[in-house]
Amino acid sequence: MIMIIICFLAPWLAMFLRGKVIQGILCILLHLTLIGWIPATIWALVVTRREAA
């Protein structure tokens, strides 16, 4: 549950917590744009849900 909240607030942090450093950096770059925030959040949710399964 807490990871889902982190995905919405800071998708790049969710990537870093999962050990995906390169993806986290790309997610930061995507998150810096207002339009890119939504895809970054979806991407973080997908990675988080895939790792949990």
Side-chain angles (χ1 to χ4, degrees), residues 3-21:
M3 280 303 287
I4 294 173
I5 294 170
I6 291 173
C7 287
F8 280 109
L9 298 177
W12 51 270
L13 181 61
M15 296 285 196
F16 284 138
L17 290 175
R18 290 290 179 192
K20 311 274 187 195
V21 177

mmCIF file with all atom_site columns, all heavy atoms in Angstrom, residues 3-21:
data_model
loop_
_atom_site.group_PDB
_atom_site.id
_atom_site.type_symbol
_atom_site.label_atom_id
_atom_site.label_alt_id
_atom_site.label_comp_id
_atom_site.label_asym_id
_atom_site.label_entity_id
_atom_site.label_seq_id
_atom_site.pdbx_PDB_ins_code
_atom_site.Cartn_x
_atom_site.Cartn_y
_atom_site.Cartn_z
_atom_site.occupancy
_atom_site.B_iso_or_equiv
_atom_site.pdbx_formal_charge
_atom_site.auth_seq_id
_atom_site.auth_comp_id
_atom_site.auth_asym_id
_atom_site.auth_atom_id
_atom_site.pdbx_PDB_model_num
ATOM 1   N N   . MET A 1 3  ? 3.878  1.551  -1.123  1.00 0.00 ? 3  MET A N   1
ATOM 2   C CA  . MET A 1 3  ? 4.576  1.687  -2.403  1.00 0.00 ? 3  MET A CA  1
ATOM 3   C C   . MET A 1 3  ? 3.676  2.320  -3.466  1.00 0.00 ? 3  MET A C   1
ATOM 4   O O   . MET A 1 3  ? 4.152  3.050  -4.319  1.00 0.00 ? 3  MET A O   1
ATOM 5   C CB  . MET A 1 3  ? 5.081  0.323  -2.887  1.00 0.00 ? 3  MET A CB  1
ATOM 6   C CG  . MET A 1 3  ? 6.348  -0.139 -2.235  1.00 0.00 ? 3  MET A CG  1
ATOM 7   S SD  . MET A 1 3  ? 7.720  1.011  -2.403  1.00 0.00 ? 3  MET A SD  1
ATOM 8   C CE  . MET A 1 3  ? 8.138  0.783  -4.111  1.00 0.00 ? 3  MET A CE  1
ATOM 9   N N   . ILE A 1 4  ? 2.388  2.053  -3.405  1.00 0.00 ? 4  ILE A N   1
ATOM 10  C CA  . ILE A 1 4  ? 1.459  2.669  -4.356  1.00 0.00 ? 4  ILE A CA  1
ATOM 11  C C   . ILE A 1 4  ? 1.397  4.172  -4.132  1.00 0.00 ? 4  ILE A C   1
ATOM 12  O O   . ILE A 1 4  ? 1.398  4.950  -5.084  1.00 0.00 ? 4  ILE A O   1
ATOM 13  C CB  . ILE A 1 4  ? 0.067  2.018  -4.246  1.00 0.00 ? 4  ILE A CB  1
ATOM 14  C CG1 . ILE A 1 4  ? 0.142  0.569  -4.698  1.00 0.00 ? 4  ILE A CG1 1
ATOM 15  C CG2 . ILE A 1 4  ? -0.965 2.784  -5.064  1.00 0.00 ? 4  ILE A CG2 1
ATOM 16  C CD1 . ILE A 1 4  ? -1.119 -0.224 -4.485  1.00 0.00 ? 4  ILE A CD1 1
ATOM 17  N N   . ILE A 1 5  ? 1.391  4.594  -2.887  1.00 0.00 ? 5  ILE A N   1
ATOM 18  C CA  . ILE A 1 5  ? 1.393  6.023  -2.571  1.00 0.00 ? 5  ILE A CA  1
ATOM 19  C C   . ILE A 1 5  ? 2.692  6.660  -3.037  1.00 0.00 ? 5  ILE A C   1
ATOM 20  O O   . ILE A 1 5  ? 2.685  7.761  -3.610  1.00 0.00 ? 5  ILE A O   1
ATOM 21  C CB  . ILE A 1 5  ? 1.173  6.233  -1.060  1.00 0.00 ? 5  ILE A CB  1
ATOM 22  C CG1 . ILE A 1 5  ? -0.228 5.764  -0.671  1.00 0.00 ? 5  ILE A CG1 1
ATOM 23  C CG2 . ILE A 1 5  ? 1.376  7.702  -0.683  1.00 0.00 ? 5  ILE A CG2 1
ATOM 24  C CD1 . ILE A 1 5  ? -0.467 5.693  0.813   1.00 0.00 ? 5  ILE A CD1 1
ATOM 25  N N   . ILE A 1 6  ? 3.805  5.976  -2.831  1.00 0.00 ? 6  ILE A N   1
ATOM 26  C CA  . ILE A 1 6  ? 5.093  6.499  -3.300  1.00 0.00 ? 6  ILE A CA  1
ATOM 27  C C   . ILE A 1 6  ? 5.092  6.603  -4.821  1.00 0.00 ? 6  ILE A C   1
ATOM 28  O O   . ILE A 1 6  ? 5.632  7.560  -5.380  1.00 0.00 ? 6  ILE A O   1
ATOM 29  C CB  . ILE A 1 6  ? 6.251  5.607  -2.803  1.00 0.00 ? 6  ILE A CB  1
ATOM 30  C CG1 . ILE A 1 6  ? 6.406  5.757  -1.296  1.00 0.00 ? 6  ILE A CG1 1
ATOM 31  C CG2 . ILE A 1 6  ? 7.554  5.973  -3.496  1.00 0.00 ? 6  ILE A CG2 1
ATOM 32  C CD1 . ILE A 1 6  ? 7.402  4.800  -0.674  1.00 0.00 ? 6  ILE A CD1 1
ATOM 33  N N   . CYS A 1 7  ? 4.470  5.649  -5.502  1.00 0.00 ? 7  CYS A N   1
ATOM 34  C CA  . CYS A 1 7  ? 4.401  5.701  -6.967  1.00 0.00 ? 7  CYS A CA  1
ATOM 35  C C   . CYS A 1 7  ? 3.652  6.936  -7.451  1.00 0.00 ? 7  CYS A C   1
ATOM 36  O O   . CYS A 1 7  ? 4.008  7.520  -8.468  1.00 0.00 ? 7  CYS A O   1
ATOM 37  C CB  . CYS A 1 7  ? 3.729  4.449  -7.513  1.00 0.00 ? 7  CYS A CB  1
ATOM 38  S SG  . CYS A 1 7  ? 4.748  2.979  -7.426  1.00 0.00 ? 7  CYS A SG  1
ATOM 39  N N   . PHE A 1 8  ? 2.621  7.333  -6.733  1.00 0.00 ? 8  PHE A N   1
ATOM 40  C CA  . PHE A 1 8  ? 1.868  8.509  -7.136  1.00 0.00 ? 8  PHE A CA  1
ATOM 41  C C   . PHE A 1 8  ? 2.601  9.806  -6.798  1.00 0.00 ? 8  PHE A C   1
ATOM 42  O O   . PHE A 1 8  ? 2.567  10.756 -7.573  1.00 0.00 ? 8  PHE A O   1
ATOM 43  C CB  . PHE A 1 8  ? 0.478  8.522  -6.477  1.00 0.00 ? 8  PHE A CB  1
ATOM 44  C CG  . PHE A 1 8  ? -0.496 7.637  -7.170  1.00 0.00 ? 8  PHE A CG  1
ATOM 45  C CD1 . PHE A 1 8  ? -0.920 6.465  -6.577  1.00 0.00 ? 8  PHE A CD1 1
ATOM 46  C CD2 . PHE A 1 8  ? -1.001 7.964  -8.407  1.00 0.00 ? 8  PHE A CD2 1
ATOM 47  C CE1 . PHE A 1 8  ? -1.818 5.631  -7.207  1.00 0.00 ? 8  PHE A CE1 1
ATOM 48  C CE2 . PHE A 1 8  ? -1.900 7.149  -9.058  1.00 0.00 ? 8  PHE A CE2 1
ATOM 49  C CZ  . PHE A 1 8  ? -2.310 5.972  -8.464  1.00 0.00 ? 8  PHE A CZ  1
ATOM 50  N N   . LEU A 1 9  ? 3.264  9.854  -5.664  1.00 0.00 ? 9  LEU A N   1
ATOM 51  C CA  . LEU A 1 9  ? 3.924  11.086 -5.240  1.00 0.00 ? 9  LEU A CA  1
ATOM 52  C C   . LEU A 1 9  ? 5.315  11.255 -5.836  1.00 0.00 ? 9  LEU A C   1
ATOM 53  O O   . LEU A 1 9  ? 5.691  12.361 -6.221  1.00 0.00 ? 9  LEU A O   1
ATOM 54  C CB  . LEU A 1 9  ? 3.999  11.132 -3.710  1.00 0.00 ? 9  LEU A CB  1
ATOM 55  C CG  . LEU A 1 9  ? 2.656  11.145 -2.991  1.00 0.00 ? 9  LEU A CG  1
ATOM 56  C CD1 . LEU A 1 9  ? 2.874  11.118 -1.483  1.00 0.00 ? 9  LEU A CD1 1
ATOM 57  C CD2 . LEU A 1 9  ? 1.830  12.346 -3.398  1.00 0.00 ? 9  LEU A CD2 1
ATOM 58  N N   . ALA A 1 10 ? 6.088  10.198 -5.883  1.00 0.00 ? 10 ALA A N   1
ATOM 59  C CA  . ALA A 1 10 ? 7.458  10.256 -6.397  1.00 0.00 ? 10 ALA A CA  1
ATOM 60  C C   . ALA A 1 10 ? 7.780  8.955  -7.114  1.00 0.00 ? 10 ALA A C   1
ATOM 61  O O   . ALA A 1 10 ? 8.378  8.049  -6.527  1.00 0.00 ? 10 ALA A O   1
ATOM 62  C CB  . ALA A 1 10 ? 8.436  10.517 -5.261  1.00 0.00 ? 10 ALA A CB  1
ATOM 63  N N   . PRO A 1 11 ? 7.382  8.847  -8.376  1.00 0.00 ? 11 PRO A N   1
ATOM 64  C CA  . PRO A 1 11 ? 7.613  7.595  -9.105  1.00 0.00 ? 11 PRO A CA  1
ATOM 65  C C   . PRO A 1 11 ? 9.086  7.213  -9.187  1.00 0.00 ? 11 PRO A C   1
ATOM 66  O O   . PRO A 1 11 ? 9.432  6.041  -9.125  1.00 0.00 ? 11 PRO A O   1
ATOM 67  C CB  . PRO A 1 11 ? 7.049  7.864  -10.500 1.00 0.00 ? 11 PRO A CB  1
ATOM 68  C CG  . PRO A 1 11 ? 6.237  9.083  -10.401 1.00 0.00 ? 11 PRO A CG  1
ATOM 69  C CD  . PRO A 1 11 ? 6.660  9.811  -9.185  1.00 0.00 ? 11 PRO A CD  1
ATOM 70  N N   . TRP A 1 12 ? 9.949  8.181  -9.293  1.00 0.00 ? 12 TRP A N   1
ATOM 71  C CA  . TRP A 1 12 ? 11.388 7.904  -9.367  1.00 0.00 ? 12 TRP A CA  1
ATOM 72  C C   . TRP A 1 12 ? 11.889 7.265  -8.083  1.00 0.00 ? 12 TRP A C   1
ATOM 73  O O   . TRP A 1 12 ? 12.759 6.404  -8.112  1.00 0.00 ? 12 TRP A O   1
ATOM 74  C CB  . TRP A 1 12 ? 12.161 9.181  -9.674  1.00 0.00 ? 12 TRP A CB  1
ATOM 75  C CG  . TRP A 1 12 ? 11.816 10.315 -8.769  1.00 0.00 ? 12 TRP A CG  1
ATOM 76  C CD1 . TRP A 1 12 ? 10.842 11.242 -8.966  1.00 0.00 ? 12 TRP A CD1 1
ATOM 77  C CD2 . TRP A 1 12 ? 12.414 10.617 -7.518  1.00 0.00 ? 12 TRP A CD2 1
ATOM 78  N NE1 . TRP A 1 12 ? 10.801 12.103 -7.910  1.00 0.00 ? 12 TRP A NE1 1
ATOM 79  C CE2 . TRP A 1 12 ? 11.753 11.751 -7.001  1.00 0.00 ? 12 TRP A CE2 1
ATOM 80  C CE3 . TRP A 1 12 ? 13.441 10.053 -6.779  1.00 0.00 ? 12 TRP A CE3 1
ATOM 81  C CZ2 . TRP A 1 12 ? 12.095 12.313 -5.778  1.00 0.00 ? 12 TRP A CZ2 1
ATOM 82  C CZ3 . TRP A 1 12 ? 13.778 10.619 -5.562  1.00 0.00 ? 12 TRP A CZ3 1
ATOM 83  C CH2 . TRP A 1 12 ? 13.103 11.749 -5.080  1.00 0.00 ? 12 TRP A CH2 1
ATOM 84  N N   . LEU A 1 13 ? 11.338 7.644  -6.951  1.00 0.00 ? 13 LEU A N   1
ATOM 85  C CA  . LEU A 1 13 ? 11.740 7.057  -5.674  1.00 0.00 ? 13 LEU A CA  1
ATOM 86  C C   . LEU A 1 13 ? 11.330 5.583  -5.606  1.00 0.00 ? 13 LEU A C   1
ATOM 87  O O   . LEU A 1 13 ? 12.067 4.747  -5.092  1.00 0.00 ? 13 LEU A O   1
ATOM 88  C CB  . LEU A 1 13 ? 11.129 7.841  -4.515  1.00 0.00 ? 13 LEU A CB  1
ATOM 89  C CG  . LEU A 1 13 ? 11.484 7.360  -3.113  1.00 0.00 ? 13 LEU A CG  1
ATOM 90  C CD1 . LEU A 1 13 ? 12.993 7.456  -2.888  1.00 0.00 ? 13 LEU A CD1 1
ATOM 91  C CD2 . LEU A 1 13 ? 10.736 8.189  -2.085  1.00 0.00 ? 13 LEU A CD2 1
ATOM 92  N N   . ALA A 1 14 ? 10.167 5.270  -6.158  1.00 0.00 ? 14 ALA A N   1
ATOM 93  C CA  . ALA A 1 14 ? 9.721  3.878  -6.189  1.00 0.00 ? 14 ALA A CA  1
ATOM 94  C C   . ALA A 1 14 ? 10.680 3.033  -7.009  1.00 0.00 ? 14 ALA A C   1
ATOM 95  O O   . ALA A 1 14 ? 10.980 1.890  -6.646  1.00 0.00 ? 14 ALA A O   1
ATOM 96  C CB  . ALA A 1 14 ? 8.310  3.797  -6.761  1.00 0.00 ? 14 ALA A CB  1
ATOM 97  N N   . MET A 1 15 ? 11.187 3.595  -8.100  1.00 0.00 ? 15 MET A N   1
ATOM 98  C CA  . MET A 1 15 ? 12.161 2.870  -8.926  1.00 0.00 ? 15 MET A CA  1
ATOM 99  C C   . MET A 1 15 ? 13.457 2.641  -8.154  1.00 0.00 ? 15 MET A C   1
ATOM 100 O O   . MET A 1 15 ? 14.019 1.556  -8.190  1.00 0.00 ? 15 MET A O   1
ATOM 101 C CB  . MET A 1 15 ? 12.471 3.635  -10.206 1.00 0.00 ? 15 MET A CB  1
ATOM 102 C CG  . MET A 1 15 ? 11.305 3.803  -11.112 1.00 0.00 ? 15 MET A CG  1
ATOM 103 S SD  . MET A 1 15 ? 10.927 2.289  -11.965 1.00 0.00 ? 15 MET A SD  1
ATOM 104 C CE  . MET A 1 15 ? 9.896  2.913  -13.247 1.00 0.00 ? 15 MET A CE  1
ATOM 105 N N   . PHE A 1 16 ? 13.923 3.685  -7.469  1.00 0.00 ? 16 PHE A N   1
ATOM 106 C CA  . PHE A 1 16 ? 15.156 3.554  -6.700  1.00 0.00 ? 16 PHE A CA  1
ATOM 107 C C   . PHE A 1 16 ? 15.007 2.540  -5.572  1.00 0.00 ? 16 PHE A C   1
ATOM 108 O O   . PHE A 1 16 ? 15.920 1.773  -5.292  1.00 0.00 ? 16 PHE A O   1
ATOM 109 C CB  . PHE A 1 16 ? 15.589 4.898  -6.115  1.00 0.00 ? 16 PHE A CB  1
ATOM 110 C CG  . PHE A 1 16 ? 16.221 5.826  -7.125  1.00 0.00 ? 16 PHE A CG  1
ATOM 111 C CD1 . PHE A 1 16 ? 15.911 7.169  -7.117  1.00 0.00 ? 16 PHE A CD1 1
ATOM 112 C CD2 . PHE A 1 16 ? 17.122 5.359  -8.060  1.00 0.00 ? 16 PHE A CD2 1
ATOM 113 C CE1 . PHE A 1 16 ? 16.494 8.032  -8.029  1.00 0.00 ? 16 PHE A CE1 1
ATOM 114 C CE2 . PHE A 1 16 ? 17.711 6.194  -8.982  1.00 0.00 ? 16 PHE A CE2 1
ATOM 115 C CZ  . PHE A 1 16 ? 17.391 7.541  -8.968  1.00 0.00 ? 16 PHE A CZ  1
ATOM 116 N N   . LEU A 1 17 ? 13.863 2.507  -4.918  1.00 0.00 ? 17 LEU A N   1
ATOM 117 C CA  . LEU A 1 17 ? 13.637 1.554  -3.830  1.00 0.00 ? 17 LEU A CA  1
ATOM 118 C C   . LEU A 1 17 ? 13.594 0.119  -4.335  1.00 0.00 ? 17 LEU A C   1
ATOM 119 O O   . LEU A 1 17 ? 13.888 -0.806 -3.577  1.00 0.00 ? 17 LEU A O   1
ATOM 120 C CB  . LEU A 1 17 ? 12.344 1.902  -3.085  1.00 0.00 ? 17 LEU A CB  1
ATOM 121 C CG  . LEU A 1 17 ? 12.381 3.180  -2.254  1.00 0.00 ? 17 LEU A CG  1
ATOM 122 C CD1 . LEU A 1 17 ? 10.998 3.471  -1.677  1.00 0.00 ? 17 LEU A CD1 1
ATOM 123 C CD2 . LEU A 1 17 ? 13.409 3.074  -1.147  1.00 0.00 ? 17 LEU A CD2 1
ATOM 124 N N   . ARG A 1 18 ? 13.220 -0.078 -5.582  1.00 0.00 ? 18 ARG A N   1
ATOM 125 C CA  . ARG A 1 18 ? 13.192 -1.414 -6.178  1.00 0.00 ? 18 ARG A CA  1
ATOM 126 C C   . ARG A 1 18 ? 14.547 -1.809 -6.745  1.00 0.00 ? 18 ARG A C   1
ATOM 127 O O   . ARG A 1 18 ? 14.696 -2.900 -7.270  1.00 0.00 ? 18 ARG A O   1
ATOM 128 C CB  . ARG A 1 18 ? 12.138 -1.493 -7.284  1.00 0.00 ? 18 ARG A CB  1
ATOM 129 C CG  . ARG A 1 18 ? 10.736 -1.440 -6.764  1.00 0.00 ? 18 ARG A CG  1
ATOM 130 C CD  . ARG A 1 18 ? 10.438 -2.718 -6.040  1.00 0.00 ? 18 ARG A CD  1
ATOM 131 N NE  . ARG A 1 18 ? 9.082  -2.663 -5.501  1.00 0.00 ? 18 ARG A NE  1
ATOM 132 C CZ  . ARG A 1 18 ? 8.629  -3.524 -4.644  1.00 0.00 ? 18 ARG A CZ  1
ATOM 133 N NH1 . ARG A 1 18 ? 9.365  -4.505 -4.233  1.00 0.00 ? 18 ARG A NH1 1
ATOM 134 N NH2 . ARG A 1 18 ? 7.412  -3.401 -4.181  1.00 0.00 ? 18 ARG A NH2 1
ATOM 135 N N   . GLY A 1 19 ? 15.543 -0.909 -6.676  1.00 0.00 ? 19 GLY A N   1
ATOM 136 C CA  . GLY A 1 19 ? 16.876 -1.233 -7.167  1.00 0.00 ? 19 GLY A CA  1
ATOM 137 C C   . GLY A 1 19 ? 17.068 -0.970 -8.647  1.00 0.00 ? 19 GLY A C   1
ATOM 138 O O   . GLY A 1 19 ? 18.031 -1.427 -9.237  1.00 0.00 ? 19 GLY A O   1
ATOM 139 N N   . LYS A 1 20 ? 16.173 -0.252 -9.255  1.00 0.00 ? 20 LYS A N   1
ATOM 140 C CA  . LYS A 1 20 ? 16.239 0.072  -10.678 1.00 0.00 ? 20 LYS A CA  1
ATOM 141 C C   . LYS A 1 20 ? 16.798 1.492  -10.833 1.00 0.00 ? 20 LYS A C   1
ATOM 142 O O   . LYS A 1 20 ? 16.059 2.446  -11.017 1.00 0.00 ? 20 LYS A O   1
ATOM 143 C CB  . LYS A 1 20 ? 14.854 0.002  -11.316 1.00 0.00 ? 20 LYS A CB  1
ATOM 144 C CG  . LYS A 1 20 ? 14.077 -1.238 -11.007 1.00 0.00 ? 20 LYS A CG  1
ATOM 145 C CD  . LYS A 1 20 ? 14.432 -2.309 -11.981 1.00 0.00 ? 20 LYS A CD  1
ATOM 146 C CE  . LYS A 1 20 ? 13.497 -3.492 -11.744 1.00 0.00 ? 20 LYS A CE  1
ATOM 147 N NZ  . LYS A 1 20 ? 13.945 -4.678 -12.366 1.00 0.00 ? 20 LYS A NZ  1
ATOM 148 N N   . VAL A 1 21 ? 18.124 1.629  -10.740 1.00 0.00 ? 21 VAL A N   1
ATOM 149 C CA  . VAL A 1 21 ? 18.752 2.950  -10.717 1.00 0.00 ? 21 VAL A CA  1
ATOM 150 C C   . VAL A 1 21 ? 18.630 3.657  -12.068 1.00 0.00 ? 21 VAL A C   1
ATOM 151 O O   . VAL A 1 21 ? 18.233 4.823  -12.125 1.00 0.00 ? 21 VAL A O   1
ATOM 152 C CB  . VAL A 1 21 ? 20.236 2.828  -10.301 1.00 0.00 ? 21 VAL A CB  1
ATOM 153 C CG1 . VAL A 1 21 ? 20.927 4.171  -10.349 1.00 0.00 ? 21 VAL A CG1 1
ATOM 154 C CG2 . VAL A 1 21 ? 20.342 2.217  -8.921  1.00 0.00 ? 21 VAL A CG2 1
#
